[in-house]
């Protein structure tokens, strides 16, 4: 049975493979006439399709091509000498055309560009608004804040006045000092020249260089330079010469603050009187330093300057310096030579007698104090050891005056005309008052004495008899005129007023014992002031320390005199 060769593949519009006859062809055995008829129909269909395709739009042409490929596939399948090809998907499963849209797809480059432009405009608008606010509306405030951040204000301590004795011996003086400060975050950038080359030596190199100047081991200095603290004191009470050496090193983050140090050349000799200042801030701590603080301290100044990020001062930047006003110098009535002798004699006697404490007061009739020793005392140059007594016991310690107060009882009787120096008296060895037996200063039988004789022998019983010539209230008033029960008027810090009970509270025995200094408490300065009043014809003058105060122009002004009070009239 004859069989035609397959047609040229080009006639179908797509290449086809030569295939072995399919099963259908073998079974049916189609006649030649049928094959020819099928080929003719196929050829006619191709021509018609080609004409139709040329007159249709691109979308329709594509559909037509799909139809042609389907027809060709069916034709080839009917051929016995060829392998049937895989048919395409039915044309009904896809739309012939896609609907056109005027909006670009979301993921298109044009949409992304538009979105990016909108966001950029918003951001730039915010920057412009912020710039307008900073440069226009808030320009002054922003500039002031920026200046504040890069400026540093340093207090310039006022020079504290010097304290002299009556002969111009220096008792206390201030010296300029520096406190070295470190910014730990800047020290690692320390560079110096090593073997002709600029080398970063950092914290270790800075510690070694500072150790040579400060005299401390580098191992102790290095931890102080290490860390992230922007402010840490490195060394205190550094002399200006030492600071200049440190500053010449050029270590980043190392700068200084002005300070002062109070020194006391006479050490313990006048410590309890002159007092001390606090080592932390040089503020007055006690004694005359505290009492005369308003005169001595002056008014501090202020320096404002610009600094770099590492804390160093900008050399060409503007600065504002307000100078401080120095304190005034003070000249005391104290004689340092007499003070030295009294202080050492007192210390020796306290140690010799194994006493707890002691005081010596030397006062002129005019009220001026010449020496005022107190023991135990302290070293004002070394307050850190915590040893010694920081107060002056002549003002703070109270005790029963004892026989030293008998002179006031006799003076009151003389002033009230209840006795005279020649008034005769019989002095018993003891007397009974209240529920107590009061003995004389020494055992004796009855003795005949005058008032002057009783005072000369410091007789307890004789003084009791003199005091009983007056009302208790009258005696109390005279004791207060002599300064008992109140401070001396010197103004010394920490002074005690002592204790003098009111006459209404005196019982039977106290009425008698107060006449010779028992049942009342007082201070050493009060007792001394009593004898000053007796020596000054009955006029008590408050104790004074200050003789003169400098006027700030090289001269001196006399200090105010002590307050005068008449205790008794002159004989």
């Amino acid at each position: 049975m004859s069989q035609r060769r397959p047609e040229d593949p080009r006639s179908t519009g797509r290449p086809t493979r030569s295939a072995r006859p399919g099963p259908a062809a073998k079974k049916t055995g189609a006649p030649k006439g049928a094959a020819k008829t099928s080929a003719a129909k196929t050829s006619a269909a191709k021509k018609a399709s080609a004409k139709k395709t040329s007159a249709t739009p691109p979308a329709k042409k594509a559909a037509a091509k799909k139809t042609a490929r389907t027809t060709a596939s069916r034709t080839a399948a009917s051929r016995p000498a060829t392998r049937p090809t895989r048919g395409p998907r039915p044309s009904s499963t896809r739309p012939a055309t896609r609907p056109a849209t005027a909006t670009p797809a979301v993921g298109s480059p044009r949409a992304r560009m538009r979105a990016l432009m909108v966001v950029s405009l918003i951001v730039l608008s915010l920057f412009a608004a912020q710039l307008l606010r900073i440069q226009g509306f808030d320009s002054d405030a922003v500039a002031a804040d920026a200046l504040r951040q890069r400026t540093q204000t340093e207090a310039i301590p006022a020079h504290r006045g010097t304290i002299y004795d009556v002969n111009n011996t220096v008792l206390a003086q201030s010296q300029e000092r520096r406190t070295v400060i470190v910014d730990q975050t800047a020290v690692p950038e320390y560079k110096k020249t090593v073997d002709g080359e600029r080398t970063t030596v950092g914290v270790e190199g800075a510690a070694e260089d500072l150790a040579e100047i400060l005299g401390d081991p580098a191992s102790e200095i290095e931890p102080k330079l290490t860390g992230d603290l922007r402010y840490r004191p490195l060394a205190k009470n550094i002399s200006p010469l030492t600071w200049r050496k440190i500053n010449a090193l050029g270590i980043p983050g190392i700068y200084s603050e002005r300070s002062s140090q109070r020194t006391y050349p006479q050490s313990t000799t006048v410590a309890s009187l002159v007092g001390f200042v606090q080592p932390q801030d040089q503020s007055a701590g006690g004694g005359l330093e505290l009492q005369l603080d308003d005169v001595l301290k002056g008014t501090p100044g202020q320096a404002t300057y610009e600094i770099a990020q590492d804390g160093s001062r900008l050399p060409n930047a503007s600065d504002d310096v307000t100078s401080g006003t120095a304190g005034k110098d003070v000249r005391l009535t104290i004689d340092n030579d007499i003070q030295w002798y009294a202080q050492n004699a007192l210390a020796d006697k306290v140690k010799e007698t194994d006493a707890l404490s002691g005081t010596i007061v030397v006062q002129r009739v005019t009220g001026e104090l010449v020496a005022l020793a107190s023991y135990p005392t302290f070293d004002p140059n070394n307050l850190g050891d915590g040893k010694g007594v920081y107060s002056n016991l002549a003002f703070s310690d109270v005790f029963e005056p004892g026989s030293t107060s008998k002179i006031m009882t006799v003076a009151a009787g003389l002033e009230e005309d209840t006795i005279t120096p020649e008034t005769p008296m019989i002095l018993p060895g003891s007397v009974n008052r209240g529920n107590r037996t009061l003995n004389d200063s020494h055992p004796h039988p009855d003795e005949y004495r005058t008032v002057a004789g009783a005072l000369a022998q410091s007789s307890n019983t004789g003084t009791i008899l003199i005091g009983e010539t007056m009302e208790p209230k009258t005696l109390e008033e005279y004791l207060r005129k002599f300064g008992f029960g109140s401070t001396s008027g010197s103004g010394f810090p920490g002074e005690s007023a002592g204790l003098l009970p009111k006459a209404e509270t005196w019982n039977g025995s106290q009425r008698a014992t107060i006449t010779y200094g028992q049942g009342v408490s007082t201070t050493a300065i009060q007792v001394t002031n009593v004898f000053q009043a007796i020596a000054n014809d009955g006029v008590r003058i408050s104790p004074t320390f200050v003789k003169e105060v400098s006027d700030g122009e090289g001269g001196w002004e006399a200090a105010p005199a002590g307050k005068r009070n008449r205790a008794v009239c002159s004989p």
Side-chain angles (χ1 to χ4, degrees):
M1 183 177 176
S2 63
Q3 186 176 7
R4 291 183 60 184
R5 295 181 65 182
E7 292 182 355
D8 186 357
R10 289 176 293 181
S11 63
T12 65
R14 60 178 293 184
T16 59
R17 292 182 180 179
S18 297
R20 288 178 289 183
K26 291 181 181 180
K27 290 180 181 180
T28 57
K32 290 181 181 181
K36 289 180 181 181
T37 302
S38 177
K41 288 180 180 181
T42 302
S43 177
K46 288 180 180 180
K47 291 179 181 180
S49 177
K51 289 180 181 181
K52 190 176 181 179
T53 301
S54 62
T56 57
K60 292 183 178 180
K61 287 182 180 181
K65 286 181 181 181
K66 292 181 180 180
T67 305
R69 285 196 293 269
T70 305
T71 304
S73 298
R74 290 175 181 174
T75 304
S78 64
R79 297 171 190 164
T82 61
R83 184 181 179 183
T85 60
R86 184 182 298 176
R89 294 179 181 177
S91 60
S92 60
T93 59
R94 290 187 180 181
T97 60
R98 289 184 178 180
T101 179
T103 304
V106 176
S108 67
R110 182 179 298 177
R112 289 197 298 269
M113 185 61 70
R114 288 179 180 176
L116 181 61
M117 183 176 296
V118 171
V119 174
S120 299
L121 289 176
I122 293 175
V123 173
L124 291 175
S125 298
L126 293 176
F127 284 154
Q130 183 71 356
L131 182 62
L132 177 62
R133 182 186 69 82
I134 295 175
Q135 297 292 339
F137 300 108
D138 298 338
S139 58
D140 294 339
V142 172
D145 185 63
L147 180 61
R148 179 185 59 80
Q149 294 181 10
R150 68 174 186 269
T151 57
Q152 179 172 316
T153 300
E154 176 184 344
I156 302 177
H159 182 78
R160 192 172 181 85
T162 303
I163 300 178
Y164 300 95
D165 84 331
V166 70
N167 299 315
N168 288 332
T169 301
V170 175
L171 305 180
Q173 63 182 352
S174 291
Q175 297 176 338
E176 181 183 352
R177 290 292 183 265
R178 292 275 182 163
T179 299
V180 181
I181 309 298
V182 58
D183 179 353
Q184 295 176 339
T185 63
V187 179
E189 302 298 326
Y190 177 41
K191 297 180 180 180
K192 69 176 184 178
T193 303
V194 179
D195 297 332
E197 295 183 1
R198 197 69 175 167
T199 306
T200 300
V201 295
V203 174
E204 183 177 356
E208 293 176 354
D209 292 346
L210 289 171
E212 296 179 1
I213 300 175
L214 296 176
D216 297 329
S219 58
E220 295 182 3
I221 297 177
E222 186 171 350
K224 299 178 181 179
L225 304 178
T226 305
D228 55 1
L229 297 178
R230 303 299 303 271
Y231 182 97
R232 177 174 180 175
L234 180 63
K236 296 182 178 180
N237 294 328
I238 301 300
S239 67
L241 177 60
T242 302
W243 164 243
R244 285 194 290 269
K245 293 179 181 179
I246 294 175
N247 193 38
L249 296 175
I251 301 175
I254 297 291
Y255 58 97
S256 72
E257 294 178 352
R258 290 183 177 91
S259 63
S260 61
Q261 183 181 19
R262 196 71 163 171
T263 60
Y264 301 89
Q266 308 306 319
S267 187
T268 60
T269 300
V270 291
S272 60
L273 176 62
V274 172
F276 61 95
V277 297
Q278 301 289 352
Q280 299 88 347
D281 56 5
Q282 298 294 296
S283 61
L288 293 179
E289 290 275 22
L290 181 59
Q291 181 179 345
L292 305 175
D293 188 47
D294 291 340
V295 177
L296 295 169
K297 67 181 181 180
T299 304
Q302 179 175 285
T304 302
Y305 50 84
E306 296 183 39
I307 58 174
Q309 188 174 3
D310 62 359
S312 61
R313 184 171 181 174
L314 297 177
N316 296 324
S318 59
D319 55 9
D320 183 16
V321 178
T322 303
S323 300
T325 302
K328 296 181 179 180
D329 298 336
V330 174
R331 182 179 290 150
L332 304 181
T333 60
I334 300 295
D335 188 320
N336 185 65
D337 294 337
I338 300 177
Q339 176 72 24
W340 178 88
Y341 185 87
Q343 185 68 37
N344 284 275
L346 176 63
D348 292 340
K349 186 58 66 174
V350 168
K351 294 175 182 178
E352 177 185 338
T353 59
D354 199 22
L356 296 177
S357 62
T359 58
I360 294 178
V361 180
V362 181
Q363 186 179 27
R364 290 191 173 94
V365 175
T366 57
E368 295 180 346
L369 291 169
V370 178
L372 205 152
S374 175
Y375 189 87
T377 185
F378 66 98
D379 183 1
N381 295 308
N382 187 21
L383 297 176
D385 60 5
K387 298 179 180 179
V389 177
Y390 294 93
S391 61
N392 192 298
L393 302 180
F395 291 95
S396 60
D397 268 18
V398 295
F399 54 90
E400 288 186 336
S403 295
T404 56
S405 66
K406 293 175 181 177
I407 191 173
M408 291 183 290
T409 303
V410 174
L414 294 173
E415 189 72 14
E416 290 295 313
D417 288 332
T418 60
I419 58 170
T420 66
E422 292 78 21
T423 300
M425 301 181 65
I426 300 176
L427 305 181
S430 63
V431 295
N432 294 320
R433 295 292 184 271
N435 57 351
R436 296 177 58 189
T437 298
L438 305 177
N439 298 317
D440 205 348
S441 57
H442 58 281
H444 63 81
D446 291 348
E447 295 180 345
Y448 293 90
R449 296 286 185 273
T450 61
V451 167
L455 180 60
Q457 290 186 356
S458 187
S459 172
N460 293 341
T461 56
T463 307
I464 292 173
L465 296 176
I466 295 173
E468 290 176 343
T469 63
M470 299 171 286
E471 293 293 328
K473 186 64 176 179
T474 302
L475 180 59
E476 178 200 351
E477 291 175 353
Y478 277 99
L479 294 178
R480 294 191 183 278
K481 288 180 180 180
F482 276 105
F484 277 26
S486 63
T487 57
S488 65
S490 66
F492 195 80
E495 180 179 0
S496 173
L499 179 62
L500 175 61
K502 292 185 178 181
E504 294 84 358
T505 65
W506 296 354
N507 57 33
S509 61
Q510 190 177 20
R511 162 82 169 82
T513 59
I514 281 181
T515 63
Y516 57 85
Q518 293 183 9
V520 60
S521 62
T522 185
T523 63
I525 198 71
Q526 288 174 327
V527 173
T528 306
N529 222 194
V530 169
F531 290 90
Q532 174 272 324
I534 296 297
N536 195 37
D537 294 333
V539 177
R540 182 172 64 89
I541 303 176
S542 299
T544 56
F545 310 96
V546 182
K547 186 177 184 66
E548 296 172 317
V549 177
S550 65
D551 59 7
E553 298 179 356
W556 294 87
E557 298 177 351
K563 185 178 180 181
R564 301 169 68 91
N565 294 281
R566 177 165 290 282
V568 291
C569 296
S570 58

